[in-house]
Every structure is written in C-alpha cells, then in structure tokens.
Amino acid sequence: MPDYLDDLRLAHVLADAADAATMDRFKALDLKVETKPDMTPVSEADKAAEELIRGHLQRARPRDAILGEEYGVEGTGPRRWVIDPIDGTKNYVRGVPVWATLISLMEAGETGFQPVVGVVSAPALGRRWWAAQGHGAFAGRSLSSATRLRVSRVSRISDASFAYSSLSGWEEQGRLDGFLDLTREVWRTRAYGDFWPYMMVAEGSVDLCAEPELSLWDMAATAIVVTEAGGSFTGLDGRPGPHSGNAAASNGLLHDELLGYLNQRY
C-alpha cells in the first residue's frame, strides 16, 4: 500500500503558500468580490489561492489531475488533487475568521475516486488538520508539532453535540422536520458552519454534523480527516465518502441514528 506521506508533505507546502496569500488579503478594504452564476460570492483571494496551488502542483506533480472550485478540472489519470481555495468565502469577505483552504488528493480505486490525503488549513483561526490514508488524523501547527485526533465515544443521542451550517437547505429538501426533531433530541446544537464542524467531529468536541448540499471540493479533505480519526463520513444516503452531494459525519456510534433523523420526510 502506498504511504502517501510525500503527498501529505506536499499538501502542507501548498497550504502554507495558500495561507500566506489568503491572510494577506483578509480584511483588506479593497478586496474585490464578484457573484458567480450560482449566486455565491468569489473573491480575488479565492482565485489567487487556487492559481497558486495549481502552479505548485503543475511543477511538483505534472502527471496528476487537478479539480478546483474556481477553475474546474484539468488533466486525467488515477490521481486527482481536489481544491477549495477558501471554504467559507462568505465569512472571509465579511471578516469572520472561520474559513479554510481545503486540499485533498483522491486516487482511483475499485469504488471510484476516494480521498487518500487531506489538509484543512484555517490560518485566521491558527489551526490546521490533516490525514493520510492508514496514518491517522492530526492537528497542529506543522507535521512535527501535532496531536493525533480521535472521535468521541458518546453513544447516546441525548448526550450528543450536533453542529450544522444553516436551516434553509434542509427546508428546501423537505428534510426540515427530521432535522428539527434531531435538534430536540440531542444535548446541544451549534451552527459553526462550513469545514469546522467536521474537524470538531474528528477532534471529539462535537459528535454529529451534516449539511444538505455540498460539492466534492467541500468534502474530500474533511472526509479523510474524519474517517482517519475513527469517525464515519457518508452522504445522507449512507454512501461512504464525499460523493453524494451532501454529507453526514459522526463518531460512528451515532451514525445510523443521525441518518434516520435526516432522512425523515413528511
């Protein structure tokens, strides 16, 4: 089995470069922001960070394909880097520090492309999380200064902490009643949003999280961090991995119950 550690080291180098670029423009008064066709914002920092990462990859891994949120797919083959230059752009453009660069390497296998390396870097929070297949998940300032991550052992839904992003998507999909039933049953709910709940699941500070509508670049890096920390990451349909267009993550012990609530239709 490949160990992917060279790829993980490269992903850290990419994240370092992206962090420098994004932090340089964070809270800039002259930051340029546009609206994409799907009505979501994109800043000049999103585009610059993705261009920077792509440039590094084209030099360091010229045979690998690249899929990014801002510039689409480039190249073919069994290895594909998946990039979200700024996950949490709405926070970024408003000066809220909860945003991150997500970098993942996915590799083709018997069940299609699956993430084998993931780095989630949130420089405004001073936090970074990462994982490589078979090597566990970690958080820290660098590869040499890290703490291993493990999910919680909470086994009752009434003792669980549940994190989410917003209510509107659940309502649009007809899942709001099940979502609200879940919030009434758990011990605590908080809307941290974007990448952060998944990292909290991996750390064991949150037990459950879910989002009703996502893209691959939102999930590839977070999925491997959660699973390498011992948790479960699936779509709302229960399919493992980041391929369902939505996500449910948990410590594993509560996953079936989580999916049961979120799949209730009225």
Side-chain angles (χ1 to χ4, degrees):
M1 176 189 289
D3 68 16
Y4 300 111
L5 293 181
D6 282 343
D7 295 308
L8 178 61
R9 282 188 282 269
L10 174 60
H12 275 273
V13 171
L14 301 174
D16 289 342
D19 286 355
T22 52
M23 285 300 290
D24 183 58
R25 300 298 292 152
F26 184 48
K27 296 188 178 181
L29 296 178
D30 60 344
L31 182 73
K32 294 187 178 115
V33 182
E34 303 169 6
T35 301
K36 293 193 284 190
D38 65 359
M39 301 309 292
T40 61
V42 58
S43 74
E44 62 183 87
D46 292 78
K47 294 178 178 180
E50 184 168 324
E51 288 169 353
L52 194 63
I53 293 169
R54 284 176 178 269
H56 276 280
L57 285 171
Q58 285 159 358
R59 293 188 294 274
R61 296 289 190 275
R63 296 183 180 180
D64 292 353
I66 305 170
L67 170 65
E69 178 176 10
E70 306 308 334
Y71 294 106
V73 67
E74 179 180 358
T76 59
R79 288 166 46 99
R80 175 183 293 176
W81 293 86
V82 179
I83 306 157
D84 189 343
I86 300 179
D87 182 57
T89 298
K90 291 177 183 177
N91 282 346
Y92 184 89
V93 301
R94 290 297 302 270
V96 178
V98 183
W99 50 270
T101 295
L102 312 183
I103 300 168
S104 178
L105 172 63
M106 301 186 74
E107 195 164 76
E110 293 179 1
T111 57
F113 279 90
Q114 295 295 338
V116 294
V117 166
V119 171
V120 176
S121 191
L125 294 175
R127 302 291 307 278
R128 184 178 291 185
W129 304 260
W130 63 88
Q133 187 179 79
H135 290 276
F138 296 84
R141 300 234 172 227
S142 67
L143 281 165
S144 59
S145 176
T147 302
R148 184 151 191 170
L149 303 180
R150 289 182 176 84
V151 296
S152 75
R153 302 302 298 166
V154 172
S155 59
R156 296 196 308 176
I157 206 80
S158 59
D159 295 330
S161 180
F162 171 52
Y164 61 98
S165 286
S166 66
L167 296 179
S168 57
W170 301 104
E171 186 171 29
E172 289 164 8
Q173 293 190 9
R175 300 179 190 264
L176 184 59
D177 288 336
F179 174 91
L180 293 174
D181 284 348
L182 174 61
T183 66
R184 295 181 186 108
E185 292 299 318
V186 296
W187 167 64
R188 191 169 193 251
T189 62
R190 284 293 183 273
Y192 302 106
D194 300 306
F195 69 93
W196 207 5
Y198 303 96
M199 299 303 95
M200 291 180 175
V201 168
E203 291 176 334
S205 54
V206 160
D207 312 299
L208 311 164
C209 70
E211 289 182 273
E213 187 173 5
L214 293 168
S215 298
L216 180 60
W217 46 76
D218 297 314
M219 298 183 280
T222 59
I224 188 167
V225 174
V226 168
T227 55
E228 285 291 321
S232 296
F233 189 107
T234 72
L236 297 176
D237 57 5
R239 181 184 177 192
H243 299 288
S244 301
N246 45 49
S250 75
N251 64 4
L253 300 174
L254 300 169
H255 206 76
D256 288 345
E257 283 183 90
L258 172 63
L259 294 179
Y261 278 102
L262 297 179
N263 282 305
Q264 289 178 26
R265 306 277 188 156
Y266 294 87

